[in-house]
Amino acid sequence: MAATLEDRHVVVIGRSSGIARAVTESATAAGARVTVAGRDPEALAHAYQGNVRAERVDVTDDQSIAEFAQRLGPVDHLVSTASARARGVLGELDRAAVLNSMNTKVLGPLMLAKHLAPQIASDGSFTLFSGVAAFKPAVGYLGVAVTNGAADFLTRCLALELAPIRVNAISPGVIDTGAWDSLGEEGKRAYFDHFRTHNPARRIGTSQDIADAVLFVMTNPFLTGVTLRVDGGEPLT
Ligand SMILES: NC(=O)c1ccc[n+]([C@@H]2O[C@H](COP(=O)([O-])OP(=O)(O)OC[C@H]3O[C@@H](n4cnc5c(N)ncnc54)[C@H](OP(=O)(O)O)[C@@H]3O)[C@@H](O)[C@H]2O)c1
């Protein structure tokens, strides 16, 4: 039987929009008490109009994580969507961008696990984020792919280390969160058109598709060590 989120403390790290927001709103609707956390808690508090607790954390900074853990108190479910993409072909990649990507999406969750595990409920969970680039390598996405691949592997390692706390990851496909706005209006339309006509689901994903998956992995008590691919079947093409 699925666990309920009623009155459980769910902590969501990430920005005030996109996937983090959909997870926050879905968990709140399911009865959870939600804390949102990121580098700018004032902006988060403003975005949510004071309806959730907002906290500061920079997942690339161990002291920030340790202080965050102290302020949080007991946690039932932790979700980290934090990410800093290192897009570009090999010739354009610099070490700092790749390091920042790994630091944010791999070492960040590793250190979050280290500092927060003692206060996560034994029937609770930690949800990380991987991404489709790990399962369908493409030119221009090397830095993203190796980061997401490492997040997938870290998930399985943490599922063993933190047991019985369950640890899973979500691997989104192409989701219209604003993460692709840097391609420009035209570029984004062409990019999305390509994916929606080629993938087996024949559409681009939504933040709600991903939030539904996060709630599923948080509440299924027999699911751990899994990277759930919610990607419209993109790696099959
Ligand atoms: N959107 C997609 O198509 C897609 C595809 C595959 C995987 N994913 C993954 O799904 C997750 C959510 O994606 P999204 O598109 O909704 O959001 P996103 O654009 O990836 O946003 C991630 C947010 O993480 C926060 N962040 C960055 N560095 C941080 C740090 N050091 N400490 C704390 N927070 C930090 C930033 O928020 P602030 O700017 O507010 O600081 C950033 O906006 C990410 O892990 C992403 O890689 C998304």
Side-chain angles (χ1 to χ4, degrees), residues 13-21 37-40 43-44 56-61 64 80-85 87 100 103-105 108 128-133 144 147-148 170-180 191-192 204-205 207 210 230:
I13 300 172
R15 59 185 165 97
S16 60
S17 53
I19 291 167
R21 185 167 194 119
R39 293 175 294 188
D40 188 346
L44 286 170
R56 178 185 310 282
V57 71
D58 178 342
V59 300
T60 64
D61 177 342
S64 167
S80 180
T81 72
S83 138
R85 293 178 184 84
R87 288 183 190 147
N100 191 32
N103 212 359
T104 306
K105 209 168 169 177
L128 288 73
F129 269 77
S130 178
V132 67
V144 181
T147 302
N148 286 336
I170 304 294
S171 174
V174 177
I175 313 294
D176 189 5
T177 61
W180 302 99
Y191 189 76
F192 281 8
I204 297 300
S207 293
I210 304 305
V230 188

Side-chain angles (χ1 to χ4, degrees), residues 110 113-114 117 154-165 167 224:
L110 192 158
K114 174 182 168 179
L154 173 64
T155 298
R156 282 172 277 160
C157 295
L158 288 178
L160 288 173
E161 287 254 1
L162 301 192
I165 296 166
V167 184
T224 192

Side-chain angles (χ1 to χ4, degrees), residues 11 27 35 42-43 50 67 73 76 81 206 212 215 220 224:
V11 178
T35 298
E42 288 79 21
E67 290 170 2
D76 293 300
T81 72
T206 65
D212 291 346
L215 262 67
N220 188 309
T224 192

